[in-house]
Amino acid sequence: MTQDTPILPASSGAATEAPKPTKKVFVKTYGCQMNVYDSERMGDALSNDGYQAVDSVEAADLVLINTCHIREKAAEKVYSQLGRLAQLKQQRKARGENLMVAVAGCVAQAEGDEIIRRAPVVDVVIGPQTYHRLPVALARARNGERVVETEFPSEDKFDRLPAASAGTIRTRGVSAFLTVQEGCDKFCTFCVVPYTRGAEVSRPVERIVGEAERLAAAGVREVTLLGQNVNAWHGQGSDGREWGLGELVRRLAGIEGLDRIRYTTSHPRDMDDALINAHRDLPELMPYLHLPVQSGSDRILKAMNRRHTAADYLRLVERIRSARPDIALSGDFIVGFPGETDEDFEATMRLIEEVEYAAAFSFKYSIRPGTPGADMDGQVDEAVKSERLARLQALISRQTREFGRKCVGRTVELLLDKPGRNTGQLVGRSPWLQPVIVDAKAGEIGDIVTVRIIETGPNSLFAEPVGPQSGNQGARSFDS
Ligand code: 5AD
Ligand code: SF4
């Protein structure tokens, strides 16, 4: 996922406690939803530092690139963008102006000094755990220093970053991300996350509840809890007991105005009974679960250090589906992990056939320097990877279309979240995260409306309104 993210309100009036903006920042966010959330929080910090968001590089005094390191291509994109920025910086310099460039995120963490060496255009390199230090780093850079901030500090950045103001939240719409956990201790042999995001850390219950209450008070109706291993979240609950994600979701479901809760990304080994029971009991918890398995071959799962078998995963899926029969599952798959044979790949295809996913993300294995997978024998040929990926994606596409077709005729609740491409239309999300297009008369953005799915399109569904619209209904998912 790659997106341009205007992170600050376009007008200074929206963020009430921030100073009048005198400087302009353009933010480019690569990678996962946590990067989107982090960009917003850095935006809040910059807003307090006199910055206003702009949506073009040309209009900016500062370009902030929030980077992703998960696959090789993602990192290469950053360097080519830095090359283009170097030219722009030269042109500005010729006009006597200063364009500052800051690189944040996982490439910054992994390659801090290398970035400074390879890209003279960069003024500040800042890793994911030090975002609260960004304004100070920029001030140092304005004095001519080239700053690298990539250690893992003892203080918690979330305690130091400013709380999002109602104004900045409001510009982000009716659905918001909320990081509850960060980092990973699992060390899958293909993955850089344990090195770039560090060890697993859970945010305390009261911080999460406070942030969720502020979001709800500002009109947010759907919150997606984020973590690299979100279902490994744990903390001391208000009852003095140790809570897991299931208990946390139960607490958040009680917040007035918060109608929909989602979470991502989960590891199969951390799916405990409390969380599965939350899916059974809580209408606010949406029936959608992103549960990556990566491969359907036990041999490859072992080499990946996933520490479960394909059969364990299938049993887990069965338990989850018996608790919440209408749950939609999505997954992540890697093809061409070192040593993957045709037989291993066929095992992955069989697992997909058996699970029947609503959606999935799939990738060719990409060597990440410093991870155990990089040194393994049996690296797979690119052509073989491409062929396997195409077959796997064709199968998933068929399953996604089939899932959409099964929805036709159902009555569902949509959270309307943006205008459609055509005037007179709105787009909402079904409980299963599908984009659904309806006539704009169905309601207003931010409403939860009841509709009937009437047709499937290539990337979305079409629906018609059903019965009287209250525009304010709860989170029941469907009634077929
Ligand atoms: N190569 C390919 N895909 C990877 N992923 C993580 N590391 C790699 C890699 N080295 C995929 C996994 C993970 C998703 C976020 O990215 O499927 O779940
Ligand atoms: Fe990476 Fe595995 Fe941790 Fe997920 S669980 S972040 S894939 S090491």
Side-chain angles (χ1 to χ4, degrees), residues 85-99 120:
L85 284 173
Q87 284 179 352
L88 192 65
K89 191 164 179 147
Q90 278 303 327
Q91 290 164 8
R92 291 282 189 88
K93 206 169 171 184
R95 296 207 301 263
E97 295 166 10
N98 184 22
L99 174 67

Side-chain angles (χ1 to χ4, degrees), residues 135-438:
V136 173
L138 289 169
R140 282 165 56 196
R142 266 181 230 112
N143 286 330
E145 206 182 325
R146 297 184 78 203
V147 183
V148 179
E149 281 272 18
T150 50
E151 74 275 36
F152 290 96
S154 54
E155 76 264 19
D156 178 352
K157 67 176 167 190
F158 291 121
D159 290 349
R160 313 220 168 198
L161 282 165
S165 69
T168 58
I169 293 168
R170 224 167 266 134
T171 61
R172 292 173 196 161
V174 295
S175 182
F177 296 128
L178 200 176
T179 293
V180 301
Q181 179 280 337
E182 199 173 344
C184 181
D185 295 339
K186 299 242 172 9
F187 291 93
C188 298
T189 52
F190 52 81
C191 189
V192 286
V193 166
Y195 312 97
T196 57
R197 290 274 170 173
E200 250 175 52
V201 177
S202 294
R203 291 179 71 192
V205 173
E206 65 274 18
R207 295 283 154 73
I208 297 166
V209 170
E211 192 166 330
E213 283 173 346
R214 280 196 301 281
L215 290 168
V220 167
R221 302 195 69 178
E222 175 178 84
V223 160
T224 302
L225 309 177
L226 298 180
Q228 269 91 28
N229 253 290
V230 71
N231 58 343
W233 178 91
H234 58 97
Q236 176 154 42
S238 45
D239 55 5
R241 287 189 312 118
E242 179 78 359
W243 284 6
L245 192 67
E247 286 87 359
L248 180 68
V249 168
R250 223 169 261 276
R251 170 69 184 85
L252 297 176
I255 293 175
E256 181 72 29
L258 215 53
D259 297 304
R260 290 181 160 200
I261 300 171
R262 304 179 183 276
Y263 59 93
T264 197
T265 288
S266 296
H267 193 289
R269 285 173 57 84
D270 292 318
M271 240 15 248
D272 65 8
D273 285 341
L275 187 52
I276 295 175
N277 292 342
H279 277 288
R280 182 194 61 198
D281 300 339
L282 301 173
E284 292 86 358
L285 185 53
M286 291 293 98
Y288 184 97
L289 177 60
H290 185 58
L291 195 64
V293 64
Q294 315 294 355
S295 168
S297 153
D298 287 344
R299 228 172 52 81
I300 296 297
L301 286 169
K302 192 159 196 293
M304 287 177 163
N305 192 32
R306 296 289 294 181
R307 299 196 292 138
H308 65 76
T309 63
D312 293 334
Y313 182 83
L314 293 171
R315 266 194 302 273
L316 175 61
V317 165
E318 215 177 279
R319 274 171 56 218
I320 296 165
R321 283 196 167 137
S322 55
R324 182 78 206 222
D326 71 330
I327 202 159
L329 288 174
S330 75
D332 288 342
F333 295 92
I334 296 177
V335 299
F337 185 78
E340 187 187 71
T341 61
D342 285 341
E343 211 175 297
D344 293 318
F345 176 67
E346 295 309 328
T348 302
M349 294 292 274
R350 279 198 301 279
L351 180 139
I352 295 172
E353 298 269 13
E354 200 153 328
V355 172
E356 292 187 30
Y357 288 92
F361 303 91
S362 46
F363 315 97
K364 288 192 254 185
Y365 172 69
S366 162
I367 291 182
R368 306 317 290 130
T371 61
D375 300 323
M376 285 182 186
D377 293 336
Q379 298 291 336
V380 176
D381 204 70
E382 273 307 303
V384 174
K385 286 186 200 168
S386 300
E387 195 236 328
R388 287 179 188 164
L389 187 69
R391 275 188 60 205
L392 189 151
Q393 289 185 336
L395 174 58
I396 294 286
S397 298
R398 276 204 300 282
Q399 294 192 342
T400 304
R401 280 198 302 276
E402 182 55 26
F403 186 77
R405 259 198 303 276
K406 281 190 193 152
C407 294
V408 174
R410 275 183 177 175
T411 304
V412 309
E413 285 180 354
L414 284 192
L415 172 58
L416 299 175
D417 64 357
K418 59 179 183 194
R421 213 174 288 155
N422 300 330
T423 39
Q425 291 182 334
L426 290 176
V427 184
R429 289 278 172 177
S430 77
W432 308 286
L433 211 55
Q434 299 143 301
V436 183
I437 297 166
V438 279

